[in-house]
Amino acid sequence: MSAWRQVLELTIEDEDLSRLTTIARSRTEPASRVERAQMLLAYRADASFFAVGRALGVHHQTVQRCVERAVAYGPMAALEDRPRPGKEPTITSEAKAWLVSLACRKAKDLGYPHELWTTRLLARHAREHGPAAGHACLANLVQGTVCKIFDRHEVRPHKVRYYLERRDAEFEQKMAQVLCVYREVEVLKKAAARSAKPSKVAIVSYDEKPGIQAIATTAPDLPPEPGAYASFTRDYEYKRHGTLSLLAGIDLLNGKVHALVRDRHRSREFVEFLKLLDAAYPAHTAIKLILDNHSAHISKETKAWLAAQPAGRFDFTFTPKHGSWLNLVEGFFSKLARSVLRHIRVASKQELKDRIMAAMNEFNRHPVVHTWSYKLDQAA
């Protein structure tokens, strides 16, 4: 005759009881934790391994082991799997180091046509060359193990992240010149606040936004319907009508936008924009432009036109190479792209041009004075 099973006294504090109840009812917790929480709660109500096992559809010994762990380590600890010894690792730390060092080289340097490694290619290379390098444990290496090793060492040899090399030896000096112009803007703003006289200096942040696509739909957009369609619905197919370039400058003192929309942005278009500025300001006003190093800004055609203007009428301050982020107009272009050009569809290039110019007029009705503050205190 078998002996009676001993009833274990299970004590659960109110805090643990509340947590166990929440876990037992959860739909997102792992199934094993939910099941063990249900065992402990059921055993607390009826201290019988057989009754709990029958109610939950598990073996009574499973219930007993769970309750024994709860008594020994606490109810919450009983929900987790106990650590298992596992199999001894077959890949040595030296082999892993060799594999990681291999991943830090390009695949093409070892004779492969690939630029970078794939995990499958690297696993095959390790199987073929690892034993000869003294790592016999890599003879049966598989792709999944390579991925696990790379995850532990935080190596991603199959991916590329980009950076920008600083190639302008005079970057700091040119940046300082741009910052000095922004400092001048601040001085002129304060002077304008104290005096009603118009400023004799205009400072314009200028750049081009090329490649604005004129894209047409091939079927009408379907509007939202409450309760049915939350957003506009658009056919995937589209038709291209070409591209346009926006030439724009922002007056940093009053926020006014000067703009031209043309098919291209060559020297002749840039000169046309300069003529637009020339007509927009009185003859005695000095016009200072912050702009990048585009070839149209320093071409023979541009220099010839500038040479014919009165001395001091135009003054250029160039941003450093790869330093276009120093130009305030880039923020305006970002705003334009996010608010006007995003998802735009037009029937022709002319319609796109009209809508861009309408946006410029809208911006000028509510001008925003852009202000630069980054490292401005470091300007000479």
Side-chain angles (χ1 to χ4, degrees):
M1 182 176 179
S2 60
W4 291 96
R5 293 185 179 273
Q6 181 182 3
V7 176
L8 299 178
E9 183 178 352
L10 177 62
T11 303
I12 303 178
E13 301 293 337
D14 291 343
E15 182 180 353
D16 290 340
L17 180 62
S18 176
R19 294 171 64 186
L20 287 173
T21 303
T22 301
I23 294 173
R25 297 174 179 173
S26 175
R27 293 177 178 269
T28 57
E29 288 278 351
S32 60
R33 286 172 55 86
V34 173
E35 185 179 63
R36 290 166 187 168
Q38 292 173 348
M39 290 180 197
L40 296 179
L41 293 175
Y43 184 82
R44 180 176 179 272
D46 183 4
S48 169
F49 301 138
F50 289 95
V52 173
R54 190 182 305 112
L56 298 180
V58 298
H59 197 276
H60 66 87
Q61 291 181 350
T62 303
V63 180
Q64 181 178 355
R65 287 194 296 269
C66 181
V67 174
E68 288 175 349
R69 289 202 302 274
V71 172
Y73 307 108
M76 302 310 300
L79 303 184
E80 310 297 337
D81 290 330
R82 286 183 292 183
R84 297 176 173 83
K87 183 181 177 182
E88 286 294 327
T90 57
I91 300 179
T92 64
S93 58
E94 292 79 8
K96 293 178 182 177
W98 178 82
L99 189 65
V100 171
S101 66
L102 190 67
C104 293
R105 303 172 60 187
K106 286 190 174 183
K108 68 172 186 176
D109 296 337
L110 297 176
Y112 292 98
H114 309 68
E115 176 72 13
L116 302 177
W117 292 107
T118 65
T119 51
R120 192 182 301 276
L121 176 64
L122 193 54
R124 190 184 74 194
H125 181 88
R127 288 195 301 268
E128 295 174 354
H129 301 278
H135 307 293
C137 56
L138 298 178
N140 297 316
L141 183 68
V142 296
Q143 179 189 10
T145 305
V146 172
C147 294
K148 292 177 182 177
I149 293 173
F150 289 165
D151 284 342
R152 293 192 186 100
H153 289 80
E154 298 184 354
V155 177
R156 304 288 185 272
H158 55 291
K159 293 187 177 181
V160 174
R161 290 187 63 183
Y162 288 89
Y163 75 100
L164 187 60
E165 183 74 20
R166 182 173 291 186
R167 294 182 173 86
D168 194 333
E170 299 178 350
F171 188 95
E172 297 293 339
Q173 296 90 321
K174 293 179 180 178
M175 180 177 71
Q177 293 174 3
V178 176
L179 295 180
C180 285
V181 176
Y182 290 142
R183 173 65 66 82
E184 184 179 358
V185 171
E186 296 300 312
V187 172
L188 291 174
K189 285 180 181 177
K190 294 177 181 178
R194 295 191 301 265
S195 174
K197 296 181 180 180
S199 174
K200 294 183 179 181
V201 178
I203 301 178
V204 178
S205 175
Y206 168 82
D207 202 2
E208 298 94 1
K209 184 174 179 62
I212 303 174
Q213 296 191 72
I215 298 178
T217 57
T218 56
D221 288 346
L222 305 180
E225 292 184 14
Y229 305 104
S231 63
F232 278 94
T233 307
R234 175 173 289 168
D235 188 85
Y236 282 100
E237 293 189 6
Y238 57 87
K239 182 178 179 181
R240 297 181 186 272
H241 290 300
T243 60
L244 293 174
S245 292
L246 170 64
L247 295 78
I250 301 178
D251 189 316
L252 299 182
L253 297 177
N254 57 30
K256 182 179 179 181
V257 179
H258 305 276
L260 287 177
V261 180
R262 296 293 183 263
D263 289 345
R264 301 173 68 178
H265 57 289
R266 301 162 295 178
S267 298
R268 65 185 65 178
E269 284 81 18
F270 180 57
V271 170
E272 185 180 356
F273 180 84
L274 294 179
K275 292 179 180 178
L276 176 68
L277 290 182
D278 189 45
Y281 294 99
H284 63 275
T285 303
I287 304 174
K288 296 186 177 183
L289 276 80
I290 301 173
L291 66 172
D292 62 21
N293 296 272
H294 190 274
S295 58
H297 306 161
I298 54 176
S299 66
K300 292 181 180 179
E301 185 176 348
T302 300
K303 290 180 178 179
W305 186 86
L306 290 172
Q309 306 308 307
R313 177 60 167 171
F314 285 93
D315 181 31
F316 289 178
T317 300
F318 294 99
T319 59
K321 189 175 182 180
H322 298 318
S324 59
W325 56 272
L326 285 165
N327 204 342
L328 264 174
V329 75
E330 298 294 344
F332 170 75
F333 283 155
S334 175
K335 178 182 177 181
L336 177 70
R338 287 181 282 110
S339 61
V340 177
L341 301 180
R342 183 169 175 258
H343 302 312
I344 194 169
R345 293 293 184 268
V346 293
S348 65
K349 289 176 67 174
Q350 184 59 43
E351 181 186 347
L352 177 60
K353 177 181 178 180
D354 294 340
R355 291 178 65 176
I356 292 175
M357 293 307 298
M360 299 300 110
N361 294 332
E362 181 68 23
F363 288 135
N364 285 332
R365 274 194 290 269
H366 307 282
V368 176
V369 179
H370 295 252
T371 302
W372 183 275
S373 59
Y374 179 68
K375 288 191 176 182
L376 194 59
D377 56 339
Q378 300 179 20

